[in-house]
Amino acid sequence: MSPIVVSEFVHWLAQAKQAAIAHSISLAELDWLLLGVTDLDRLSLKFETYKTRSHIQCEWPIATLQAKWHQRIYNNVPVQYLVGRTPWRQFDLIVSDAVLIPRPETECIIDLVAEVIAKSPELALGHWVDLGTGSGAIAIALADLMPHATIHAIDTSVDALAIAKLNSEQWGNGDRIHFYHGNWFEPIVHLKGKLSGMVSNPPYIPSKAVLVLQPEVTDHEPHLALDGGEDGLDCLRHLVTTATEYLVPSGLWIVEMMMGQMDTVVELLENTGYEQIVRSQDLEGVERFAIGRRSGNPGAVVV
Ligand code: GLN
């Protein structure tokens, strides 16, 4: 921690606010940065009680703080990458530009899994996979939700896996999550017919659309985690068709997708041997998650 003289901080903060307003960036983001890297809390920021102090403590010297805010304003770097962390569900996760910033809407996928295991508790004892784990958010939340399950987390990016491992270690379930480098199911062929559940937030944005998202996303987040091919559905299709070989009968298949993809995914699930198919919306009312259960009698032996 570096001490910053309060008068210098006050001077910088006034300029930082002005720049934010001029560039239509919410002042909440400035608070987010300061809450992340200084010893200030929400109340002292709101009521400016820090003004009575001589110094505030910051992870960086003031020149770095200034440079980082500059990156937010002029280069559209997401504030989560500047701070290097983001809150997601009850976790505070490390993020870098090697991983997609876990989104609030993705938090719902864990609640949907919780609903399914409440009805089918035997699933919570088995093997679960998070395909395209990125920061490890879903895998970590699954490990937390199902203390007796074995979680397998896969990503094709070595740099993302390094972040996911750090996150799982800091949340104390590093020993319960097995990490693999590779493409979708390829590293876990030994789990064919053994998965109780497959969860994924795969890349699902059409390639051309990836290039015209908000600049924070297009210019800074990994396209590998966003780009789902020409119609955005390449990975979703692969996950539907491949997972049947891997899931136990009645095993859960659940994925996130974007607006407008649900009909195609549900039709594919219906034609590929899934049942109990459910369409689920996010908190904004967008059809965001498809759920299916692999057909077959749960008692049947899988060979
Ligand atoms: N929901 C993310 C976004 O809005 C995309 C995530 C993904 O492609 N899986 O950018």
Side-chain angles (χ1 to χ4, degrees):
M1 285 284 196
S2 318
I4 297 179
V5 177
V6 160
S7 57
E8 280 181 34
F9 176 75
V10 168
H11 181 71
W12 168 76
L13 187 56
Q15 288 180 344
K17 282 184 183 171
Q18 270 180 9
I21 292 164
H23 290 84
S24 305
I25 288 172
S26 164
L27 293 179
E29 294 203 26
L30 187 53
D31 285 354
W32 186 326
L33 177 69
L34 294 173
L35 291 170
V37 301
T38 70
D39 65 346
L40 297 174
D41 60 23
R42 245 173 229 293
L43 280 182
S44 60
L45 276 175
K46 187 168 162 66
F47 296 111
E48 302 185 344
T49 49
Y50 54 81
K51 285 185 171 170
T52 60
R53 290 165 52 176
S54 63
H55 293 83
I56 64 153
Q57 297 297 329
C58 181
E59 274 180 31
W60 309 313
I62 191 146
T64 310
L65 189 59
Q66 202 164 4
K68 296 269 184 179
W69 190 241
H70 194 278
Q71 286 182 12
R72 173 71 198 98
I73 303 268
Y74 298 99
N75 302 337
N76 302 305
V77 178
V79 70
Q80 294 93 331
Y81 288 155
L82 296 179
V83 175
R85 318 186 69 88
T86 193
W88 190 81
R89 289 184 72 89
Q90 72 269 44
F91 309 104
D92 183 47
L93 299 174
I94 298 165
V95 290
S96 78
D97 60 7
V99 300
L100 191 80
I101 298 164
R103 304 288 201 265
E105 59 268 30
T106 308
E107 297 186 5
C108 300
I109 211 166
I110 305 301
D111 298 316
L112 294 168
V113 172
E115 283 172 26
V116 170
I117 60 165
K119 288 189 215 124
S120 306
E122 71 288 353
L123 292 179
L125 305 174
H127 292 277
W128 285 71
V129 65
D130 171 17
L131 292 175
T133 193
S135 64
I138 291 175
I140 290 164
L142 291 175
D144 181 73
L145 177 70
M146 298 182 283
H148 301 292
T150 307
I151 315 295
H152 306 269
I154 295 158
D155 208 287
T156 183
S157 156
V158 175
D159 294 340
L161 279 174
I163 300 276
K165 283 180 193 162
L166 281 178
N167 277 321
S168 70
E169 279 156 23
Q170 70 157 356
W171 286 100
N173 47 28
D175 54 340
R176 295 212 8 253
I177 305 177
H178 303 273
F179 291 94
Y180 308 80
H181 175 228
N183 214 7
W184 305 121
F185 289 96
E186 277 168 21
I188 52 159
V189 282
H190 59 289
L191 293 173
K192 269 193 188 173
K194 293 190 182 148
L195 292 183
S196 295
M198 183 219 88
V199 188
S200 183
N201 173 20
Y204 52 64
I205 299 180
S207 303
K208 283 193 180 131
V210 171
L211 305 176
V212 292
L213 300 169
Q214 292 163 280
E216 286 79 2
V217 182
T218 298
D219 296 350
H220 298 286
E221 296 207 71
H223 288 202
L224 186 64
L226 295 165
D227 188 339
E230 195 173 342
D231 63 357
L233 289 158
D234 285 1
C235 308
L236 290 160
R237 275 190 287 263
H238 178 74
L239 296 179
V240 175
T241 51
T242 315
T244 49
E245 280 184 83
Y246 283 84
L247 289 167
V248 296
S250 274
L252 175 70
W253 186 95
I254 177 167
V255 299
E256 179 177 317
M257 68 194 69
M258 68 184 254
M259 190 187 283
Q261 294 178 328
M262 186 63 85
D263 288 347
T264 313
V265 173
V266 164
E267 198 187 323
L268 200 57
L269 285 170
E270 285 167 351
N271 295 335
T272 315
Y274 295 83
E275 52 193 27
Q276 302 180 56
I277 295 164
V278 177
R279 302 161 169 252
S280 183
Q281 299 179 348
D282 65 17
L283 297 176
E284 293 186 345
V286 175
E287 284 198 312
R288 180 69 73 185
F289 309 101
I291 300 176
R293 305 283 291 268
R294 206 205 114 177
S295 310
N297 169 2
V301 178
V302 184
V303 285

